Amino acid sequence: MSTASPDAGDRAGPVALVDCGTNSVRLLVAARDGDRLRPIAREMIVTRLGEGVDASGHLADGALERTVEAVAGYVATARAHGADPVRVVATSAVRDAADRDRFVAAVHDATGVHPDVLAGEEEASIAFAGAVQGAQAARPALVLDIGGGSTELIAGHDVPEALVSENLGCVRLTELALPGDPPTAEAVERARGIADEALARALHRLDAAAPGVREHARSIVAVAGTATTLAALHLGLDRYDAHAIHGTTLPAEAVTELAETLAVTPTARIAAWGAAPGAERGPVAAGREDVLLAGAVILERALERLGFAAALVSEADLLDGGCAQLLGFGPPGRGDVRT
């Protein structure tokens, strides 16, 4: 696992992390404020890097071009804020692509930064560190990170004790099971079945790695765009408001209701859901409207299988954990984490 430089604990200036996910590219510029992060800039754009990777095994030219352009813009933004170092990481779509070297070379050529392709377990470990630092969750906790191409489930107290990464996220599940706009009821049931099978595999591996650890969990913390967007809709926000969303309790029954509504709603209407009259955008980010149902299905099935009546939604995740790592206060490494 990559670690911060030896003098990172003395770093006074900001650092930055650019996360290239299956569905979106995100940026966090942050500085250290005691033992906490002080965010300076947080941005996100949907580029759908993982488009078609499952079917072809390769990154699509257009998706790669959109993503590299977004990364270059975010690296420039980070440098304008004085961030040093600027780290670029890639997750599920790139690690699953046969031509990942093409992505690495393109990002390096455009930015001068060599991107790190994170293994699923490293991604999970960093996300756990960000989530538990940012959320006031009862410990020990389970962190559920639903991405575009993979879903991570991590159990622990202040550090991860056991973690698994399963190759099923909102983009991947949409491509596998949810054609149509809106999809048929049969397609939605098939998606639920696929999610159940993936979660069963993940929980079997988690229990084998650390018997009894999830039974002792007192809370589940849901991070990333599926959970935060569903929380925004549950709260009835007319625009995305990270401060209002962070720390929201999202009941399992609300997730089920939202999933049922999403299943019968055209994506064009989902894109405009909850938006104030005349607003440029509502709580659903552009590019998320067609994969939100799949994410809701995964979250719904996870809460059911784990036996939680609600999830605590956190805006803090891999970005926060990665910046904390760069600043020298976590995560220090995987240590004896069981996978």
Side-chain angles (χ1 to χ4, degrees):
M1 178 174 182
S2 302
T3 57
S5 61
D7 63 344
D10 298 325
R11 194 180 305 283
V15 300
L17 186 73
V18 180
D19 168 32
C20 304
T22 300
N23 195 49
S24 62
V25 178
R26 304 182 303 149
L27 165 71
L28 177 62
V29 181
R32 185 167 184 169
D33 183 6
D35 62 352
R36 302 180 67 85
L37 282 180
R38 178 172 58 85
I40 295 169
R42 192 187 293 265
E43 299 183 23
M44 186 276 291
I45 186 171
V46 172
T47 64
R48 198 62 61 84
L49 177 60
E51 183 177 48
V53 168
D54 264 0
S56 70
H58 293 79
L59 298 168
D61 291 344
L64 179 62
E65 183 178 341
R66 292 191 301 271
T67 300
V68 172
E69 181 180 359
V71 172
Y74 281 165
V75 169
T77 297
R79 287 172 173 158
H81 282 288
D84 182 27
V86 177
R87 186 185 185 197
V88 178
V89 301
T91 56
S92 179
V94 176
R95 66 174 173 254
D96 292 343
D99 55 348
R100 66 162 67 180
D101 290 345
R102 190 162 68 106
F103 169 87
V104 171
V107 169
H108 185 266
D109 288 347
T111 67
V113 177
H114 184 87
D116 297 321
V117 181
L118 301 181
E121 290 76 15
E122 183 175 6
E123 178 185 356
S125 180
I126 299 173
F128 181 89
V132 298
Q133 181 188 59
Q136 299 299 312
R139 317 283 178 82
L142 288 169
V143 172
L144 180 68
D145 183 354
I146 301 170
S150 66
T151 293
E152 281 68 49
L153 186 61
I154 318 106
H157 200 278
D158 294 318
V159 295
E161 297 167 24
L163 55 87
V164 294
S165 179
E166 185 67 32
N167 276 343
L168 188 73
C170 60
V171 173
R172 185 161 277 159
L173 183 55
T174 300
E175 292 183 349
L176 282 172
L178 293 169
D181 185 11
T184 64
E186 291 77 13
V188 175
E189 283 307 306
R190 179 167 180 261
R192 286 196 171 97
I194 292 171
D196 271 332
E197 291 173 3
L199 289 163
R201 290 193 299 269
L203 294 178
H204 177 76
R205 289 163 51 210
L206 190 71
D207 290 341
V213 67
R214 68 180 174 96
E215 283 84 355
H216 292 96
R218 297 175 57 203
S219 62
I220 183 166
V221 183
V223 301
T226 287
T228 57
T229 303
L230 292 174
L233 294 171
H234 171 63
L235 292 171
L237 302 181
D238 60 9
R239 67 190 73 250
Y240 194 91
D241 183 343
H243 293 291
I245 293 165
H246 184 65
T248 293
T249 296
L250 182 59
E253 61 185 24
V255 176
T256 298
E257 290 172 3
L258 285 165
E260 290 174 350
T261 304
L262 287 163
V264 296
T265 305
T267 54
R269 191 175 301 169
I270 293 170
W273 255 15
E280 291 185 7
R281 57 158 290 192
V284 182
R288 194 173 297 284
E289 64 274 8
D290 60 335
V291 297
L292 186 57
L293 168 60
V297 167
I298 295 171
L299 179 55
E300 175 196 34
R301 301 315 303 148
L303 291 173
E304 172 71 22
R305 282 191 160 270
L306 290 164
F308 281 91
L312 179 66
V313 177
S314 176
E315 281 281 345
D317 56 12
L318 181 138
L319 286 176
D320 304 75
C323 282
Q325 184 184 68
L326 291 172
L327 289 163
F329 62 107
R334 283 187 47 207
D336 62 354
V337 177
R338 289 153 286 179
T339 60

